Amino acid sequence: QVQLQESGPGLVEPSQTLSLTCTVSGASITDRYYSWGWIRQPPGKEMEWVGDIAWSGTTYYNPVLKSRASISRDTSRNQFALQLGPVTPEDTGVYSCGRILTSQIPGMMSHPTKTTGAWGQGTQVIVSS
């Protein structure tokens, strides 16, 4: 059974770069047809898809965040990472990493949800000085 665990600082200063890592066990991030990505939920707001990196290494981003987001992977450690910056307080929220089928990315873009695929429990990130 795949398991995902987010890690990273819980507090980031405005204008800095948020860096989160997702460690995967029980599956390989190069398993064909799967994508590995991030969603977030700001306080009091709806969930928002951030982006994905497919088994092939191809990346997909929310157009709203594309200029500030970067998703990369380390296949030797079976990890993938999110960098988002420069951040503002509006980037505060719970960030979750997960696995979905690559074919599910369009659906995730329009209706992000943790009921599709497998997800970590999420990590709180606060952007504040």
Side-chain angles (χ1 to χ4, degrees), residues 34-56:
Y34 285 104
S35 287
W36 307 83
W38 298 88
I39 57 175
R40 69 180 186 176
Q41 187 159 26
K45 297 184 179 180
E46 293 186 350
M47 202 164 287
E48 181 178 36
W49 175 71
V50 179
D52 268 74
I53 184 164
W55 60 275
S56 60

Side-chain angles (χ1 to χ4, degrees), residues 27-112:
S28 170
I29 62 173
T30 59
D31 285 343
R32 291 176 73 87
Y33 310 127
Y34 285 104
S35 287
W36 307 83
W38 298 88
I39 57 175
R40 69 180 186 176
Q41 187 159 26
K45 297 184 179 180
E46 293 186 350
M47 202 164 287
E48 181 178 36
W49 175 71
V50 179
D52 268 74
I53 184 164
W55 60 275
S56 60
T58 302
T59 51
Y60 305 84
Y61 295 104
N62 184 326
V64 174
L65 301 172
K66 186 175 182 179
S67 64
R68 298 192 295 127
S70 178
I71 297 175
S72 60
R73 66 181 183 177
D74 185 337
T75 56
S76 66
R77 297 186 176 185
N78 214 34
Q79 295 176 330
F80 61 101
L82 169 68
Q83 289 196 311
L84 181 68
V87 295
T88 72
E90 285 66 42
D91 292 308
T92 292
V94 177
Y95 286 72
S96 300
C97 64
R99 182 190 77 170
I100 60 173
L101 292 170
T102 303
S103 59
Q104 293 172 319
I105 289 177
M108 187 63 65
M109 293 172 63
S110 57
H111 296 95

